[in-house]
Amino acid sequence: MESLNYKKDPEYSGFSSSPDEKHDAAPAYDDSDRLSLGPDMTEFNQLGFWTRNGLTLESFKRRKGPIGNLNATMKPRHLHMIAIGGSIGAGLFVGSGSALSNGGPAALLLAFGIIGVMIFNVVYALGELAVVFPVSGGFYTYSTRFIDPSWGFAMGWNYVFQWAIVLPLELTVAGLTVEYWNSGVSVAVWITVFWLILIIINIFGTLGYAEEEFWSSLLKLIAIVLFMIIGVVLCAGGGPAGGKYDEYWGARTFYNPGAFANGFKGLCAVFVTAAFAFSGTELVGLAAAESRNPAKALPGAIKQVFWRITLFYILALLFIGLLVEHTDERLLGSGLSDSQASPFVIAAKDAGLIGFDSFMNVVILVSVISIGNSGIYGGSRTLTALAEQGYAPKFFTYIDKSGRPLFSVIFILAFSPIAYVGLSSSGEVVFAWLQALSGLAALFTWGSICLSHIRFRKAWKYHGHSLDEVPFQAIFGVYGSWVGLILIFLVLVAQFAVALYPLGGDPPSAEAFFKAYLALPVVLVFWIGGYFWKRTGWLRTHQMDVTTNRRVVDWDRINGEKARVAAMPGWRRFLHLFF
């Protein structure tokens, strides 16, 4: 194995590239070495407070140093909260209503459980890759490095446009959510207000995104926990006197009107809603590139995903299925833009809990703003990575002194005015097609992460490395990634069947098919475009690079932690896998 030479630094002193390397000899760092010591924060730390936080004109000037030199200011608490609650939004709070109507309560649990198993393996695969290669652009660069540069091009641009389209959708949903209180103010005004809020948050750069995600995720988790506690009380018959749940309720909705709706086709129809609800989970991998010590912070954050899936999705949806009948006509709202169709709001209304429905609408409002902010973050960082690889104009590599990829952020924000189009007479049609464009995009991203992990392990072994040199390993290894990849394929097949033969017995039509499956031809167009641009194809094992941008690791600390875990009793070691 090639040796690593580096300059002694307080942040990295004693770090080595393998668990067996000695630390005493440390010649000056050679710029030609391709191992990454992380972003140089020296210039940033010398700036004044207001400039570091993007609040002076000086902060907009270009940062010195290599391209892609983003900030490393994200803290472990930010990563943990992004992992556990960052992607909880309208997909869960509102989209679960249409999913319940289409599939019934049992199908809701089954579909979200299957997608949950998939996501569990995806984030662990991403965690392993991100700890070894915490690079800007995350999974896009992994696809480029371990699968096919043309496919990486497709995944990068697909991800950028996925978030660029989600942003105006979330602004529209936020504006319409305010209408729940009959404010009398035009929705266009609210869209403008929320657009300005997102601009202000992003002036603060990485810190703005991280803090907003931390507090909004905290609010979302508190709301879900409160709902589950209330759900237990209502199912036991502890609702207000004279209300729907003032006597033992139990699981009667599973018997009448029934556990399933629309049979197997109904189950298939729920998968895409579940996938949309989990969209954004992969952002923790992008955020790792902007944390000071990903090898320490990211594994703990990845483990939180297990609890989000089991506690904040599965249990919450169990109570939704217990409290709201899938035949309730109020569930048939206008999709993700209608918060009144939220089963959380419907259950609160039916229970007679004064004010709780408004509280849940506030949570929905905060959630959609949070997802919009995530869209700006994820889209801009991926666009910057595309530019660094030569797959986008070079001016998108511009990073200012406060650490913002300035032109990339402006590019994503520029899609916001599409939200106003949704308010026109033909807006509902435009809205439906935009949803179709972003609906399945996440599945291709997740599949690429799993395949990148599988091929990384193969290349890692081929180049003479062992798993002992990987600081954080996916809990089920490549087998978990294969499970995730197979489940993604099955979900795409299920959605293909629903696209051909829609629910309700409508005859097949081109419009119905592409509204359900538009993401596939878009990805194929990007893939073909990437091939003709770079003239590259499927990478062979010997062509895969496992050295460039590999983060140097503090093996003394990691080996000490492994020894501590190994000394634990068996039950403690088992719990350590999930905490």
Side-chain angles (χ1 to χ4, degrees):
M1 175 173 178
E2 64 178 298
S3 61
L4 167 68
N5 297 321
Y6 60 92
K7 184 185 296 181
K8 285 284 188 180
D9 182 277
E11 289 290 338
Y12 298 100
S13 180
F15 284 27
S16 66
S17 60
S18 77
D20 302 318
E21 238 174 68
K22 301 298 182 183
H23 303 151
D24 46 4
Y29 176 66
D30 180 0
D31 286 333
S32 65
D33 197 304
R34 295 180 297 160
L35 291 178
S36 170
L37 297 175
D40 184 1
M41 298 292 291
T42 304
E43 180 190 6
F44 178 79
N45 292 331
Q46 292 173 348
L47 299 173
F49 172 83
W50 300 107
T51 301
R52 288 201 308 271
N53 289 285
L55 299 175
T56 66
L57 292 177
E58 180 71 17
S59 70
F60 290 90
K61 293 181 180 179
R62 185 162 196 156
R63 168 176 288 180
K64 297 177 182 178
I67 61 175
N69 191 15
L70 294 166
N71 280 356
T73 53
M74 208 169 289
K75 300 176 181 177
R77 68 178 177 90
H78 296 139
L79 281 180
H80 283 216
M81 205 53 90
I82 290 169
I84 198 170
S87 68
I88 296 176
L92 174 64
F93 289 123
V94 183
S96 58
S98 62
L100 177 62
S101 177
N102 289 333
L108 189 67
L109 289 175
L110 189 57
F112 271 80
I114 291 172
I115 297 294
V117 171
M118 174 207 305
I119 286 295
F120 181 83
N121 288 294
V122 168
V123 295
Y124 265 89
L126 177 59
E128 180 176 319
L129 290 168
V131 168
V132 179
F133 307 103
V135 294
S136 172
F139 34 81
Y140 146 68
T141 53
Y142 304 145
S143 296
T144 300
R145 179 179 292 194
F146 299 117
I147 302 175
D148 171 5
S150 302
W151 182 253
F153 172 90
M155 288 298 95
W157 278 107
N158 179 64
Y159 199 70
V160 168
F161 281 110
Q162 173 194 339
W163 284 119
I165 290 166
V166 164
L167 176 59
L169 292 181
E170 297 296 333
L171 287 173
T172 303
V173 173
L176 293 173
T177 299
V178 178
E179 288 300 293
Y180 180 83
W181 294 285
N182 298 316
S183 64
V185 179
S186 170
V187 174
V189 174
W190 291 116
I191 289 174
T192 304
V193 169
F194 296 129
W195 187 14
L196 291 174
I197 289 173
L198 289 176
I199 291 174
I200 292 171
I201 291 172
N202 280 274
I203 285 176
F204 292 90
T206 301
L207 181 63
Y209 165 74
E211 288 295 338
E212 187 277 335
E213 284 299 288
F214 178 85
W215 294 107
S216 64
S217 295
L218 186 61
L219 175 63
K220 288 182 277 187
L221 299 184
I222 290 172
I224 293 175
V225 170
L226 284 175
F227 178 80
M228 289 190 291
I229 293 172
I230 292 171
V232 171
V233 174
L234 295 180
C235 287
K244 184 176 181 179
Y245 308 106
D246 67 345
E247 62 180 14
Y248 178 73
W249 185 262
R252 65 182 67 182
T253 57
F254 278 74
Y255 301 99
N256 182 26
F260 289 94
N262 298 308
F264 181 71
K265 188 184 290 186
L267 173 64
C268 292
V270 178
F271 280 124
V272 69
T273 304
F276 187 88
F278 280 106
S279 294
T281 306
E282 70 286 341
L283 282 171
V284 69
L286 277 180
E290 296 182 63
S291 63
R292 191 57 180 157
N293 191 349
K296 179 180 179 181
L298 188 58
I302 292 296
K303 293 177 183 180
Q304 307 304 316
V305 174
F306 171 79
W307 297 108
R308 185 178 74 192
I309 293 169
T310 55
L311 293 180
F312 302 116
Y313 277 84
I314 304 302
L315 281 181
L317 292 172
L318 171 63
F319 286 111
I320 285 298
L322 290 172
L323 296 173
V324 182
E325 295 92 344
H326 67 75
T327 54
D328 194 316
E329 292 186 357
R330 290 172 294 178
L331 294 172
L332 302 175
S334 54
L336 293 172
S337 62
D338 189 355
S339 64
Q340 296 188 58
S342 166
F344 292 84
V345 174
I346 291 172
K349 278 186 173 182
D350 288 348
L353 301 175
I354 299 174
F356 192 73
D357 58 332
S358 291
F359 169 71
M360 287 307 304
N361 264 283
V362 171
V363 174
I364 292 171
L365 182 60
V366 171
S367 299
V368 296
I369 294 173
S370 170
I371 297 298
N373 189 40
S374 296
I376 299 169
Y377 179 84
S380 63
R381 270 57 180 181
T382 305
L383 181 56
T384 299
L386 283 165
E388 290 168 9
Q389 299 291 325
Y391 284 161
K394 278 296 181 184
F395 65 83
F396 285 122
T397 63
Y398 186 102
I399 296 174
D400 63 25
K401 289 189 175 182
S402 67
R404 296 167 298 206
L406 192 60
F407 294 128
S408 296
V409 171
I410 292 172
F411 178 83
I412 301 297
L413 279 168
F415 282 78
S416 299
I418 296 176
Y420 299 113
V421 177
L423 303 178
S424 66
S425 57
S426 59
E428 189 173 339
V429 176
V430 175
F431 198 90
W433 280 105
L434 289 177
Q435 280 186 314
L437 196 58
S438 61
L440 290 177
L443 288 169
F444 292 99
T445 296
W446 298 336
S448 295
I449 291 170
C450 289
L451 185 56
S452 295
H453 178 242
I454 292 167
R455 290 183 51 79
F456 157 71
R457 284 286 190 96
K458 185 178 181 181
W460 189 252
K461 182 179 180 180
Y462 175 86
H463 287 288
H465 299 289
S466 70
L467 290 182
D468 290 336
E469 298 174 64
V470 179
F472 174 74
Q473 297 174 25
I475 191 169
F476 296 120
V478 292
Y479 300 107
S481 292
W482 275 114
V483 168
L485 195 60
I486 291 169
L487 287 176
I488 289 167
F489 174 75
L490 293 177
V491 169
L492 288 171
V493 171
Q495 183 61 16
F496 184 81
V498 175
L500 280 180
Y501 301 101
L503 292 177
D506 294 334
S509 69
E511 181 180 356
F513 176 82
F514 283 110
K515 278 187 177 179
Y517 228 74
L518 186 59
L520 177 60
V522 170
V523 168
L524 292 177
V525 167
F526 278 129
W527 191 8
I528 293 169
Y531 176 78
F532 282 106
W533 189 340
K534 292 295 182 179
R535 298 288 180 177
T536 55
W538 183 267
L539 295 175
R540 307 300 293 265
T541 305
H542 71 274
Q543 294 176 298
M544 293 184 231
D545 177 12
V546 296
T547 301
T548 303
N549 295 125
R550 178 155 55 93
R551 178 62 67 91
V552 184
V553 177
D554 184 352
W555 283 108
D556 286 341
R557 185 190 65 78
I558 289 176
N559 290 332
E561 176 66 13
K562 286 181 178 179
R564 186 183 71 83
V565 173
M568 294 178 178
W571 65 273
R572 286 285 305 277
R573 291 199 301 273
F574 178 77
L575 289 179
H576 185 266
L577 294 173
F578 302 101
F579 286 95

